[in-house]
């Protein structure tokens, strides 16, 4: 949201510093985000912080900053989507008590499809026998 309002990107170091100072000044209860630099700054400022990451390969420079602050009391947790990623973060120094793997999921009941695959392929203009790889997400 902050990046949208200011026109700056969430990966800009000065921007992240300003966001962290704003969070501290406004006395936020906690920070939860997927940016690596903001949690580094907010943890150092003593603001309870949780970071979510889906990788260990993003930006190793930024990840190293997270690993440095992970032992601080204000750094509450690193949440990830897979046990292997959790293990990699632990091996790099995040305390085991502060890493949580919560796999992505979906309520399949909400997406139960009664019609056949053939019906939907026809409806979408897809070839009946061809194989497709589909990604849904962001």
């Amino acid at each position: 949201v902050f990046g949208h309002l200011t026109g700056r990107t969430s990966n800009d170091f000065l921007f992240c510093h300003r966001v962290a100072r704003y969070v501290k000044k406004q006395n936020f209860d906690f920070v939860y985000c997927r940016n690596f630099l903001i949690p580094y700054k907010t943890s150092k400022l003593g603001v309870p912080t949780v970071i979510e990451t889906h990788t260990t390969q993003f930006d190793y420079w930024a990840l190293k900053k997270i690993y440095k602050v992970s032992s601080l009391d204000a750094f509450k947790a690193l949440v990830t989507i897979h046990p292997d990623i959790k293990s990699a973060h632990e091996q790099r120094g995040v305390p085991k008590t502060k890493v949580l793997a919560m796999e992505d999921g979906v309520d399949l009941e909400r997406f139960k499809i009664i019609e056949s695959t053939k019906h939907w392929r026809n409806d979408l203009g897809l070839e009946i026998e061809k194989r497709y790889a589909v990604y849904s997400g962001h």
Side-chain angles (χ1 to χ4, degrees):
V1 170
F2 290 108
H4 174 69
L5 295 175
T6 64
R8 293 197 177 253
T9 68
S10 62
N11 294 319
D12 178 89
F13 192 78
L14 183 58
F15 165 77
C16 293
H17 178 73
R18 288 178 177 158
V19 168
R21 282 185 29 214
Y22 178 80
V23 164
K24 179 71 173 175
K25 183 179 178 181
Q26 295 297 316
N27 199 28
F28 280 29
D29 292 327
F30 72 95
V31 171
Y32 185 103
C33 74
R34 289 188 55 192
N35 174 290
F36 290 104
L37 296 176
I38 292 172
Y40 168 73
K41 293 283 192 177
T42 56
S43 293
K44 286 181 72 171
L45 290 172
V47 179
T49 301
V50 176
I51 182 172
E52 179 180 341
T53 176
H54 297 185
T55 184
T56 58
Q57 304 299 318
F58 179 70
D59 178 347
Y60 193 65
W61 174 82
L63 278 172
K64 280 175 62 174
K65 290 193 165 299
I66 292 299
Y67 299 149
K68 279 185 183 180
V69 297
S70 66
S71 61
L72 296 176
D73 286 341
F75 186 94
K76 298 301 181 187
L78 185 152
V79 179
T80 190
I81 60 169
H82 196 275
D84 291 347
I85 299 172
K86 175 184 186 280
S87 178
H89 287 303
E90 290 171 348
Q91 290 172 10
R92 292 179 179 172
V94 178
K96 290 183 181 208
T97 58
K98 292 187 176 185
V99 184
L100 184 63
M102 299 180 70
E103 295 191 33
D104 283 353
V106 65
D107 180 359
L108 293 176
E109 287 298 314
R110 292 181 65 200
F111 297 93
K112 239 184 194 161
I113 298 173
I114 298 169
E115 294 86 357
S116 69
T117 303
K118 187 176 179 179
H119 166 85
W120 286 109
R121 286 186 177 220
N122 281 330
D123 193 55
L124 296 170
L126 301 173
E127 295 179 32
I128 300 297
E129 299 300 322
K130 192 170 182 177
R131 289 184 175 197
Y132 295 92
V134 178
Y135 174 78
S136 176
H138 152 301

